[in-house]
Structure formats: C-alpha cells, structure tokens
Coordinates of all heavy atoms in Angstrom, one line a residue:
L1 N 114.3 67.1 112.1 CA 114.1 68.4 112.8 C 115.2 69.4 112.4 O 115.5 70.2 113.2 CB 114.1 68.1 114.3 CG 112.7 67.4 114.8 CD1 112.8 67.0 116.2 CD2 111.5 68.0 114.4
S2 N 115.6 69.5 111.2 CA 116.4 70.5 110.8 C 115.6 71.3 109.8 O 114.8 70.7 109.0 CB 117.7 69.9 110.0 OG 118.5 69.3 110.9
R3 N 115.7 72.7 109.8 CA 114.9 73.5 108.9 C 115.7 74.7 108.4 O 116.6 75.2 109.1 CB 113.7 73.9 109.6 CG 114.1 74.7 110.9 CD 112.9 75.4 111.7 NE 113.3 76.1 112.8 CZ 112.4 76.8 113.6 NH1 111.2 76.9 113.2 NH2 112.8 77.4 114.7
P4 N 115.3 75.1 107.3 CA 115.8 76.4 106.7 C 115.1 77.6 107.4 O 113.9 77.5 107.7 CB 115.7 76.4 105.3 CG 114.4 75.5 105.1 CD 114.5 74.5 106.3
L5 N 115.8 78.7 107.5 CA 115.2 79.9 107.9 C 115.2 81.0 106.9 O 116.1 81.0 106.0 CB 116.0 80.6 109.1 CG 116.1 79.6 110.4 CD1 117.1 80.2 111.4 CD2 114.7 79.2 110.9
F6 N 114.2 81.9 106.8 CA 114.0 82.7 105.7 C 113.8 84.2 106.0 O 113.5 84.5 107.1 CB 112.8 82.3 104.9 CG 112.7 80.9 104.4 CD1 112.2 79.9 105.3 CD2 113.1 80.5 103.2 CE1 112.1 78.6 104.9 CE2 113.1 79.3 102.8 CZ 112.5 78.2 103.7
I7 N 114.1 85.0 105.0 CA 113.6 86.4 104.9 C 112.7 86.5 103.7 O 113.1 85.9 102.6 CB 114.6 87.5 105.0 CG1 115.7 87.4 103.8 CG2 115.3 87.5 106.3 CD1 116.6 88.5 103.7
Y8 N 111.6 87.3 103.7 CA 110.8 87.5 102.6 C 110.8 89.1 102.3 O 110.6 89.9 103.2 CB 109.4 87.1 102.8 CG 109.2 85.6 102.7 CD1 109.6 84.8 103.8 CD2 108.5 85.1 101.6 CE1 109.4 83.4 103.7 CE2 108.4 83.7 101.5 CZ 108.8 82.8 102.6 OH 108.6 81.5 102.4
V9 N 111.3 89.5 101.0 CA 111.5 90.8 100.7 C 110.4 91.3 99.8 O 110.0 90.7 98.8 CB 112.8 90.9 100.0 CG1 113.1 92.4 99.7 CG2 114.0 90.3 100.8
A10 N 109.8 92.5 100.1 CA 108.8 93.1 99.3 C 109.3 93.5 97.9 O 110.3 94.3 97.8 CB 108.2 94.3 100.0
R11 N 108.7 92.9 96.9 CA 109.1 93.2 95.5 C 109.0 94.7 95.2 O 109.8 95.3 94.6 CB 108.3 92.3 94.5 CG 108.6 92.8 93.0 CD 110.0 92.5 92.6 NE 110.4 92.9 91.4 CZ 110.8 94.1 91.0 NH1 110.9 95.1 92.0 NH2 111.1 94.4 89.8
D12 N 107.9 95.3 95.7 CA 107.7 96.7 95.4 C 108.7 97.8 96.1 O 108.7 98.9 95.7 CB 106.2 97.1 95.7 CG 105.9 96.9 97.2 OD1 106.2 95.8 97.7 OD2 105.4 97.9 97.9
Q13 N 109.4 97.1 97.0 CA 110.4 97.9 97.7 C 111.9 97.5 97.4 O 112.8 98.2 97.7 CB 110.3 97.8 99.3 CG 108.9 98.2 99.8 CD 108.6 99.7 99.5 OE1 109.4 100.5 99.8 NE2 107.4 99.9 99.0
A14 N 112.0 96.5 96.6 CA 113.3 95.9 96.3 C 114.3 96.8 95.6 O 115.6 96.7 95.6 CB 113.2 94.5 95.7
D15 N 113.8 97.7 94.8 CA 114.5 98.6 93.9 C 115.0 99.8 94.7 O 115.9 100.5 94.1 CB 113.9 99.0 92.7 CG 113.6 97.8 91.7 OD1 114.3 96.8 91.9 OD2 112.6 97.9 91.0
R16 N 114.6 100.0 95.9 CA 115.1 101.1 96.7 C 116.6 100.9 96.9 O 117.0 99.8 97.4 CB 114.4 101.2 98.0 CG 112.9 101.8 97.9 CD 112.2 101.5 99.1 NE 113.0 101.8 100.3 CZ 112.6 101.3 101.5 NH1 111.5 100.6 101.6 NH2 113.3 101.6 102.6
P17 N 117.5 101.9 96.7 CA 119.0 101.6 96.8 C 119.3 101.1 98.1 O 120.2 100.2 98.3 CB 119.5 103.0 96.6 CG 118.5 103.7 95.7 CD 117.2 103.1 96.2
E18 N 118.7 101.7 99.3 CA 119.1 101.2 100.6 C 118.7 99.8 100.9 O 119.4 99.0 101.5 CB 118.6 102.2 101.7 CG 117.1 102.1 101.9 CD 116.3 103.1 101.0 OE1 116.9 103.4 99.9 OE2 115.2 103.4 101.3
L19 N 117.5 99.5 100.4 CA 117.0 98.0 100.6 C 117.8 97.1 99.8 O 118.2 96.0 100.2 CB 115.5 97.9 100.3 CG 114.8 96.6 100.7 CD1 114.9 96.4 102.2 CD2 113.4 96.6 100.3
Q20 N 118.1 97.4 98.5 CA 118.9 96.5 97.7 C 120.3 96.3 98.3 O 120.8 95.2 98.4 CB 119.0 97.2 96.3 CG 119.9 96.4 95.4 CD 119.9 96.9 94.0 OE1 119.0 97.5 93.5 NE2 120.9 96.7 93.2
A21 N 120.9 97.4 98.8 CA 122.2 97.2 99.5 C 122.1 96.4 100.7 O 123.0 95.6 101.0 CB 122.7 98.7 99.8
F22 N 121.0 96.6 101.5 CA 120.9 95.7 102.7 C 120.7 94.2 102.4 O 121.4 93.4 103.1 CB 119.7 96.2 103.5 CG 119.4 95.5 104.8 CD1 120.2 95.6 105.9 CD2 118.3 94.5 104.8 CE1 120.0 95.0 107.1 CE2 118.1 93.8 106.0 CZ 118.9 94.0 107.1
I23 N 119.9 93.9 101.3 CA 119.7 92.4 101.1 C 121.0 91.8 100.6 O 121.3 90.7 100.9 CB 118.5 92.2 100.1 CG1 117.3 92.8 100.6 CG2 118.4 90.8 99.6 CD1 116.8 92.1 101.9
E24 N 121.7 92.5 99.8 CA 122.9 91.9 99.2 C 124.0 91.9 100.3 O 124.7 90.9 100.4 CB 123.4 92.9 98.0 CG 122.6 92.7 96.9 CD 123.2 93.4 95.6 OE1 124.3 93.9 95.7 OE2 122.6 93.4 94.6
F25 N 124.0 92.8 101.3 CA 124.9 92.7 102.5 C 124.5 91.5 103.3 O 125.3 90.8 103.8 CB 124.8 94.0 103.2 CG 125.7 94.1 104.4 CD1 126.9 94.6 104.3 CD2 125.3 93.7 105.7 CE1 127.8 94.8 105.4 CE2 126.1 93.7 106.7 CZ 127.4 94.3 106.6
Y26 N 123.1 91.3 103.5 CA 122.7 90.2 104.2 C 123.1 88.9 103.8 O 123.7 88.0 104.5 CB 121.2 90.3 104.2 CG 120.4 89.5 105.4 CD1 119.4 90.3 106.1 CD2 120.6 88.3 105.6 CE1 118.7 89.6 107.1 CE2 120.0 87.5 106.6 CZ 119.0 88.2 107.5 OH 118.4 87.6 108.5
L27 N 122.9 88.7 102.4 CA 123.4 87.5 101.8 C 124.9 87.2 101.8 O 125.4 86.1 101.9 CB 122.8 87.3 100.4 CG 121.1 87.2 100.4 CD1 120.8 87.2 99.0 CD2 120.7 86.0 101.1
D28 N 125.6 88.2 101.6 CA 127.0 88.3 101.7 C 127.6 87.9 103.1 O 128.7 87.3 103.2 CB 127.7 89.5 101.2 CG 127.6 89.8 99.7 OD1 127.5 88.7 99.0 OD2 127.7 91.0 99.2
N29 N 126.9 88.3 104.1 CA 127.5 88.1 105.4 C 126.6 87.2 106.4 O 127.1 86.9 107.5 CB 127.5 89.5 106.2 CG 128.4 90.5 105.4 OD1 129.6 90.2 105.3 ND2 127.9 91.5 104.8
A30 N 125.6 86.6 105.8 CA 124.7 85.7 106.6 C 125.5 84.5 107.1 O 125.2 84.0 108.2 CB 123.6 85.2 105.8
A31 N 126.3 84.0 106.4 CA 127.1 82.7 106.8 C 127.8 83.0 108.1 O 127.8 82.3 109.0 CB 128.0 82.3 105.7
E32 N 128.6 84.1 108.1 CA 129.4 84.4 109.3 C 128.6 84.9 110.6 O 128.7 84.4 111.6 CB 130.5 85.5 108.9 CG 131.3 85.8 110.2 CD 132.5 86.7 109.9 OE1 132.9 86.9 108.7 OE2 133.1 87.3 110.9
L33 N 127.6 85.8 110.2 CA 126.9 86.3 111.2 C 125.8 85.3 111.9 O 125.5 85.3 113.1 CB 126.1 87.5 110.8 CG 127.0 88.8 110.5 CD1 126.3 89.9 109.9 CD2 127.9 89.2 111.7
S34 N 125.2 84.4 111.0 CA 124.3 83.5 111.5 C 125.0 82.6 112.6 O 124.5 82.1 113.6 CB 123.7 82.7 110.5 OG 124.6 82.0 109.7
Q35 N 126.3 82.1 112.2 CA 127.1 81.2 113.0 C 127.4 82.0 114.4 O 127.5 81.4 115.4 CB 128.3 80.7 112.3 CG 129.1 79.6 113.1 CD 130.1 78.9 112.3 OE1 130.2 79.1 111.1 NE2 130.6 77.9 112.9
E36 N 127.7 83.2 114.3 CA 128.1 84.0 115.4 C 127.0 84.1 116.4 O 127.3 84.2 117.6 CB 128.5 85.4 114.9 CG 129.1 86.3 116.0 CD 129.6 87.7 115.4 OE1 130.4 87.7 114.5 OE2 129.1 88.7 115.9
V37 N 125.8 84.1 116.0 CA 124.6 84.1 117.0 C 124.0 82.7 117.1 O 122.9 82.7 117.8 CB 123.6 85.1 116.5 CG1 124.1 86.6 116.5 CG2 123.0 84.9 115.2
G38 N 124.7 81.7 116.8 CA 124.3 80.3 117.2 C 123.6 79.6 116.2 O 123.0 78.5 116.5
Y39 N 123.4 79.9 115.0 CA 122.7 79.2 113.9 C 123.8 78.5 112.9 O 125.0 78.7 113.0 CB 121.8 80.1 113.2 CG 120.6 80.5 114.1 CD1 120.7 81.7 114.9 CD2 119.5 79.7 114.2 CE1 119.7 82.1 115.7 CE2 118.5 80.1 115.1 CZ 118.6 81.2 115.8 OH 117.7 81.7 116.7
I40 N 123.3 77.8 111.9 CA 124.1 77.0 111.0 C 124.1 77.7 109.7 O 123.0 77.9 109.1 CB 123.6 75.6 110.9 CG1 123.7 74.9 112.3 CG2 124.5 74.8 109.9 CD1 122.4 75.0 113.1
P41 N 125.2 78.1 109.1 CA 125.3 78.7 107.8 C 124.8 77.7 106.7 O 124.9 76.5 106.8 CB 126.8 79.1 107.6 CG 127.3 79.0 108.9 CD 126.6 78.0 109.7
L42 N 124.2 78.3 105.6 CA 124.0 77.4 104.5 C 125.2 77.2 103.7 O 126.2 77.8 103.9 CB 123.0 78.2 103.5 CG 121.6 78.6 104.1 CD1 120.8 79.5 103.0 CD2 120.8 77.4 104.6
P43 N 125.3 76.2 102.8 CA 126.4 76.1 101.9 C 126.6 77.3 101.1 O 125.7 78.0 100.8 CB 126.0 74.8 101.0 CG 125.0 74.2 101.9 CD 124.2 75.2 102.6
D44 N 127.9 77.5 100.7 CA 128.2 78.8 99.9 C 127.3 78.9 98.6 O 126.8 80.0 98.3 CB 129.6 78.8 99.6 CG 130.5 79.1 100.7 OD1 130.0 79.6 101.8 OD2 131.8 78.8 100.7
E45 N 127.2 77.7 98.0 CA 126.4 77.7 96.7 C 124.9 78.2 96.9 O 124.3 78.9 96.1 CB 126.3 76.3 96.1 CG 125.6 76.3 94.7 CD 125.5 74.9 94.2 OE1 125.8 73.9 94.9 OE2 125.0 74.8 93.1

C-alpha cells in the first residue's frame, strides 16, 4: 500500500516560459515541500 504520486504536464504548453519555470521549480523543491505537508519525498535520483 505504498504508491507514487504524479503530475501530468501538457506537452503543448510545456514550452511556455512560466510553465517551464514552474515545473523545474516543482521538481527542485518537491522533496522538501512534500515532506512539509506530510508526504514522503522520492529519492534524489
């Protein structure tokens, strides 16, 4: 009963500068912020 959680990003929107910045920010900070709100970070790799 352990599972991964996901986001799905629209390819046709991914080149927008603000969306690209948001996704990279999300992946850079998901480890700390997911733990802060009660979830388990993925391994760094």
Side-chain angles (χ1 to χ4, degrees):
L1 293 177
S2 295
R3 61 175 175 173
L5 304 175
F6 303 92
I7 57 172
Y8 284 74
V9 184
R11 173 63 184 89
D12 59 310
Q13 302 297 315
D15 294 334
R16 287 166 40 199
E18 70 275 20
L19 189 61
Q20 180 173 329
F22 179 76
I23 296 302
E24 294 190 356
F25 185 91
Y26 201 128
L27 295 173
D28 284 342
N29 299 296
E32 180 172 343
L33 293 176
S34 62
Q35 188 165 2
E36 188 174 304
V37 294
Y39 293 89
I40 298 96
L42 303 178
D44 289 340
E45 183 185 8

